[in-house]
Amino acid sequence: MKKILALLLVFASLFAFAACGDKEPVQVPTEPSEIKTEAASESAEQATKISALAGKTIVLKSVASENYVEIKTNADGIATVMKIHKFFTDAAAFSTAENAGSYGTYKLEVANEATFEIIYSDSETVRGMKYEDIIAKAEKTEGYIIVPAA
């Protein structure tokens, strides 16, 4: 009887050592890590999208005149400033607008007498707007066409 118990103990020991090999335990993914993976992939996708839009300039060209609007975005794809380029047909109209100076949120930035162009800057109107929001709003604006981003 003692021999049988000794043999059983030897076999049990052998099987125990065989089961404790150098294999790494298999880990079953849990929900929180799956959510983290999904969130990380969404964050990476958003970062890629933002970097593609970062520093872009949206140009809206007037259909009826030479006037156009530039909207610049920062590294996060958020609008920082809007510049309005107005062209006047003659010196009198240009002079009147130049003398009037800034109005509302439009600040007179440059007055070019040679081309009868005045550039106004406005950071209040577009502050905090995302690239997609500006494009969506611009598509609904009549009288202007969107020039592809530069």
Side-chain angles (χ1 to χ4, degrees), residues 120-131:
Y120 297 97
S121 71
D122 175 17
S123 57
E124 297 300 316
T125 303
V126 294
R127 178 176 284 159
M129 290 181 73
K130 294 180 182 177
Y131 182 90

Side-chain angles (χ1 to χ4, degrees), residues 25-120:
V26 177
Q27 293 182 352
V28 178
T30 59
E31 276 187 47
S33 68
E34 289 174 3
I35 291 171
K36 287 178 186 176
T37 304
E38 288 174 13
S41 66
E42 287 175 10
S43 295
E45 185 178 305
Q46 183 67 15
T48 302
K49 188 176 182 181
I50 287 174
S51 66
L53 302 175
K56 296 285 186 179
T57 301
I58 303 164
V59 178
L60 304 173
K61 174 78 175 85
S62 172
V63 176
S65 68
E66 294 295 315
N67 298 341
Y68 64 96
V69 176
E70 291 178 281
I71 302 170
K72 297 184 186 261
T73 61
N74 64 14
D76 297 324
I78 306 292
T80 56
V81 68
M82 175 172 71
K83 295 195 179 211
I84 300 94
H85 296 257
K86 289 190 155 247
F87 292 89
F88 296 89
T89 55
D90 57 34
F94 172 80
S95 181
T96 302
E98 182 181 25
N99 291 335
S102 302
Y103 61 96
T105 58
Y106 292 9
K107 306 297 178 215
L108 191 138
E109 191 171 288
V110 176
N112 186 343
E113 194 171 344
T115 59
F116 297 139
E117 176 187 19
I118 294 181
I119 302 172
Y120 297 97

